[in-house]
């Protein structure tokens, strides 16, 4: 790869030099990206999947304590008032909500100290006008800000045609997850909103990763990976398009048509919808043995898909 005489920004913005990574059909010439390897130590706290400390699942037996810690992480840097905390944990807070919360915070401090001596001191009690609780951590200690940043880097490189660097950044992003978010959390309105938002952000990241992988020519085992995500989110049209595209690019018309037929049946029986136009176009490309058209269809979806994802970025952890 041709090296730029200047260091490009790590977020993929305003690159300075043109690289020699070949562009697939229908794509603009890519720019030379920086090294996307993340050499930082693993985050201390994790919520992307199982609640964890230093990569180990937190052995917190109380679901309320797990919810308290998760809420503090999602709102890190800002205390949560007692009244708001009650509404986060219970849609209809009990009369004893304040006393229950105080007891659970005390127990959570013990759990944190067991995970790492002194870690319980990070759980702070705030008094005065903003009476409540909060967790003192830096963004680098938490997996969610890292995920958000890696997704943004990957999406920027994808839009600029640096598909291999987009794959690397997006692999970092999805690698921070160890399962869907929200397991064992109380089904309150507050948590349900975060569960939906974060899990959609995870699926968006996988979708961008698979798109970048197709455009970069990294399709080994890709069909299997896409099938695994479709099993979680079967109504995501773009995933079906990408799965059909992978088989089409491999010259496997039979598998492409099988994917199209499965999608058509699912959408008709479950949603009462016709076959999506993008899937129909991929079927036509497969029947015509037109791999270039399949690649062009994937590339043409990149801009629209990225713009839609920009409109629903992962929620800021402190909001």
């Amino acid at each position: 790869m041709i090296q730029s005489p200047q260091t490009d920004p790590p977020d993929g913005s305003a690159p300075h030099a043109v690289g020699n990574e070949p562009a697939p059909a229908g794509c603009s010439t890519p720019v030379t990206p920086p090294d996307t390897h993340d050499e930082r130590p693993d985050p201390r706290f994790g919520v992307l999947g199982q609640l964890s400390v230093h990569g180990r699942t937190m052995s917190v037996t109380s679901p309320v304590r797990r919810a308290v810690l998760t809420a503090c992480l999602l709102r890190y840097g800002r205390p949560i008032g007692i009244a708001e905390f009650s509404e986060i944990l219970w849609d209809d807070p009990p009369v004893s909500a304040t006393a229950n919360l105080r007891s659970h915070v005390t127990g959570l401090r013990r759990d944190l100290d067991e995970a790492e001596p002194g870690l319980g001191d990070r759980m702070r009690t705030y008094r005065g006008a903003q009476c409540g609780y909060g967790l003192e951590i830096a963004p680098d200690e938490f997996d969610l800000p890292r995920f958000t940043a890696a997704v943004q880097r990957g999406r920027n490189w994808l839009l600029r045609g640096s598909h291999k660097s987009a794959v690397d950044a997006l692999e970092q992003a999805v690698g921070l997850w160890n399962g869907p978010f929200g397991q064992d959390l109380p089904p309150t309105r507050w948590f349900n909103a975060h569960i939906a938002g974060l899990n959609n952000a995870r699926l968006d990241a996988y979708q961008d990763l698979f798109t970048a992988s197709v455009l970069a020519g990294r399709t080994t085992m890709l069909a299997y990976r896409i099938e695994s995500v479709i099993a979680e989110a079967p109504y995501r049209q773009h995933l079906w398009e990408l799965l059909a595209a992978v088989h089409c690019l491999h010259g496997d018309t039979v598998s492409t048509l099988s994917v199209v037929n499965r999608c058509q049946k699912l959408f008709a029986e479950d949603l009462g919808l016709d076959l999506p136009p993008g899937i129909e176009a991929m079927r036509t490309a497969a029947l015509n043995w037109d791999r270039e058209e399949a690649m062009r269809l994937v590339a043409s979806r990149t801009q629209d898909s990225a713009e839609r994802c920009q409109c629903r970025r992962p929620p800021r952890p402190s909001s």
Side-chain angles (χ1 to χ4, degrees), residues 246-275:
V246 170
H247 290 304
C248 185
L249 291 170
H250 288 170
D252 190 345
T253 301
V254 173
S255 293
T256 304
L257 297 180
S258 174
V259 168
V260 171
N261 290 337
R262 286 166 52 202
C263 178
Q264 185 173 30
K265 181 179 180 181
L266 178 74
F267 277 52
E269 293 182 356
D270 289 12
L271 305 176
L273 298 175
D274 294 331
L275 185 68

Side-chain angles (χ1 to χ4, degrees), residues 1 22 28 32 62 83 86 113 118 198 228 243 248 258 272 280 287 307:
M1 180 177 292
S28 59
T32 299
S62 166
S86 297
D113 282 334
L198 283 175
S228 298
L243 180 59
C248 185
S258 174
E280 182 64 57
L287 290 172
E307 288 177 353

Side-chain angles (χ1 to χ4, degrees), residues 1 20-24 30-31 33-34 36 154 157-158 160-171 209 211-218:
M1 180 177 292
N20 62 354
E21 182 179 317
V31 295
T36 56
W157 290 122
L158 179 58
R160 286 167 171 78
S162 293
H163 304 126
K164 292 180 181 178
S165 296
V167 170
D168 293 342
L170 291 163
E171 287 283 16
L209 170 60
T211 299
S213 297
V214 169
L215 296 176
R218 296 183 180 180

Side-chain angles (χ1 to χ4, degrees), residues 74 76 142 144-145 147-148 177 181 193-202 312-319:
L74 294 176
Y76 83 94
F142 184 25
L144 180 52
F147 168 75
T148 304
W177 287 79
F181 171 76
H194 282 270
I195 289 169
L198 283 175
N199 284 328
N200 273 323
R202 170 177 173 263
R312 58 173 191 269
R313 289 184 183 181
R316 290 173 60 88
S318 58
S319 62

Side-chain angles (χ1 to χ4, degrees), residues 44-48 50-53 58 66-78 80 85 112 123 134-138 141-145 181 190 194 316-319:
R44 175 175 271 111
F45 293 98
V47 297
L48 300 180
Q50 291 285 345
L51 187 62
S52 63
V53 175
M58 278 284 292
R66 286 198 297 270
V68 169
L69 179 55
T70 301
C72 287
L73 286 167
L74 294 176
R75 290 281 298 272
Y76 83 94
R78 283 170 47 192
I80 303 177
F85 231 138
L112 290 171
M123 192 70 191
L135 190 68
E136 286 191 343
I137 59 170
E141 295 181 291
F142 184 25
D143 61 1
L144 180 52
F181 171 76
W190 192 89
H194 282 270
R316 290 173 60 88
S318 58
S319 62

